[in-house]
Amino acid sequence: MPIRIADNLPARRTLESEGVIVMGETEAARQDIRPLRIALLNLMPDKITTETQIARVLGATPLQVELELLRISDHVSKNTSAGHIAEFYRPWADVRGERFDGLIVTGAPVEQIPFEEVTYWDELRRIFDWSQVNVHRTLNVCWGAMAALHHFHGVPKHGLAAKASGVFRHDNRAPASPWMRGLPDVFDVPVSRWSEVRATDLPEGRGLRVLADSAETGLCLIDDPAHRALHMFNHLEYDTLTLAGEYARDEGHYLPRHYFPGDDPQAAPANTWRGHGHLLYGNWINETYQTTPFDLADVGGR
């Protein structure tokens, strides 16, 4: 099944050129099916790139997905045009009375700032609490995952001496988990962050389960069943050249490890994680579909 996004969203042209089936409002209305309603709270500065990456992995699943783009109500984006935000994004305050099958909270370039000093921290905390009543399942990514663990469990984040950047091998710690279905015992994951969450800080007795981690970069994926959430600290949704773009933006600092062949920035990197990203997001969509109520009004019940 296709992903349902606005007809003139820039991501649409990119996805169609890649063969992803994209559906418009008219075509979607003809299908006698309730699509999964997924909200994307996009905290990244380059919102168009993030929209495209997330829509790509959601659109590859066999279910019809209706993607709703959300933003922090009072935060003004400096890197995406006001016109794009006004046309495609709804402030969270406008949807707080609605219900969703799924919510994805992205990372944000605020990893080196204490949580409580982030300008939209109070609203983000309200969104996390709202998700417990109005959302069936949540997937938090990178800083969004750190923020959720801090909010719900008091888990601190720790700054890194240098940026963790590159493609690192990860161990599948729970191959029988529905979230890890089909993923190999060892798999590649792009990493790009200035902070980390440590296993030693995870509280006992809360049901938190480590699903994947790396000997080089630590925790990757945590299951939080009490809050119907997955916390992913890394970026399986990244494009092949995303890390190269970050390296150029950082003016040649923080060479991504295990990414450029021979550590030569002039050499073209190979995407070794694409299938893993499709599997993980596909598993999340499938589990959401299998367990969400048919009537959206019933979403949020335990």
Side-chain angles (χ1 to χ4, degrees):
M1 288 290 179
I3 187 167
R4 180 175 168 183
I5 57 178
D7 290 340
N8 51 345
L9 188 72
R12 185 184 185 96
R13 292 188 296 275
T14 301
L15 297 178
E16 287 177 333
S17 71
E18 296 173 354
V20 177
I21 302 175
V22 183
M23 177 175 283
E25 299 291 329
T26 302
E27 294 90 342
R30 294 196 188 105
Q31 292 198 338
D32 187 17
I33 188 174
R34 182 175 87 72
L36 283 180
R37 196 168 188 227
I38 306 297
L40 172 63
L41 180 65
N42 192 351
L43 304 176
M44 291 296 287
D46 183 355
K47 298 193 183 303
I48 293 175
T49 295
T50 303
E51 295 157 14
T52 305
Q53 292 174 346
I54 297 297
R56 178 184 293 115
V57 288
L58 296 183
T61 64
L63 299 168
Q64 187 186 133
V65 174
E66 177 183 338
L67 187 63
E68 184 83 54
L69 301 178
L70 304 184
R71 63 175 176 84
I72 295 292
S73 301
D74 298 322
H75 183 70
V76 178
S77 176
K78 299 178 180 178
N79 297 85
T80 303
S81 73
H84 182 87
I85 298 296
E87 183 173 2
F88 299 113
Y89 280 78
R90 299 174 68 190
W92 171 72
D94 286 1
V95 305
R96 59 189 308 172
E98 301 179 19
R99 308 233 169 180
F100 295 87
D101 298 294
L103 169 68
I104 299 173
V105 180
T106 73
V110 292
E111 294 173 78
Q112 295 171 295
I113 303 173
F115 291 118
E116 292 75 14
E117 294 181 15
V118 174
T119 56
Y120 49 80
W121 177 245
D122 288 343
E123 180 167 347
L124 183 58
R125 292 184 65 195
R126 291 194 294 273
I127 292 172
F128 284 142
D129 288 339
W130 165 83
S131 73
Q132 300 305 285
V133 178
N134 290 64
V135 176
H136 181 58
R137 293 199 182 278
T138 303
L139 173 59
N140 303 303
V141 180
C142 200
W143 181 84
M146 299 179 196
L149 275 174
H150 183 68
H151 174 70
F152 288 120
H153 300 284
V155 177
K157 65 179 173 70
H158 300 272
L160 299 173
K163 184 179 183 180
S165 178
V167 178
F168 297 88
R169 303 202 78 185
H170 284 68
D171 293 309
N172 183 344
R173 298 298 183 186
S177 166
W179 312 115
M180 305 301 287
R181 186 181 296 117
L183 284 161
D185 292 339
V186 180
F187 58 101
D188 289 342
V189 183
V191 177
S192 178
R193 49 183 163 81
W194 283 95
S195 300
E196 66 178 1
V197 167
R198 297 172 182 168
T200 52
D201 290 327
L202 299 179
E204 297 182 1
R206 299 288 189 92
L208 296 174
R209 183 186 187 191
V210 176
L211 302 181
D213 60 10
S214 165
E216 292 183 84
T217 56
L219 294 175
C220 173
L221 184 64
I222 292 177
D223 184 16
D224 185 359
H227 297 93
R228 304 188 305 279
L230 286 181
H231 308 298
M232 160 59 83
F233 304 112
N234 302 322
H235 294 283
L236 277 172
E237 78 283 0
Y238 267 12
D239 299 326
T240 303
L241 298 178
T242 301
L243 288 172
E246 292 182 0
Y247 178 65
R249 181 199 63 200
D250 294 335
E251 299 181 338
H253 301 294
Y254 322 116
L255 179 72
R257 298 178 63 191
H258 319 305
Y259 176 63
F260 294 113
D263 286 336
D264 178 6
Q266 303 304 314
N271 190 317
T272 60
W273 63 89
R274 183 183 294 112
H276 309 144
H278 284 292
L279 274 172
L280 179 66
Y281 278 84
N283 288 342
W284 183 73
I285 284 291
N286 181 59
E287 284 301 305
T288 299
Y289 171 75
Q290 295 290 339
T291 58
T292 194
F294 180 80
D295 189 341
L296 267 174
D298 295 330
V299 162
R302 301 275 178 170

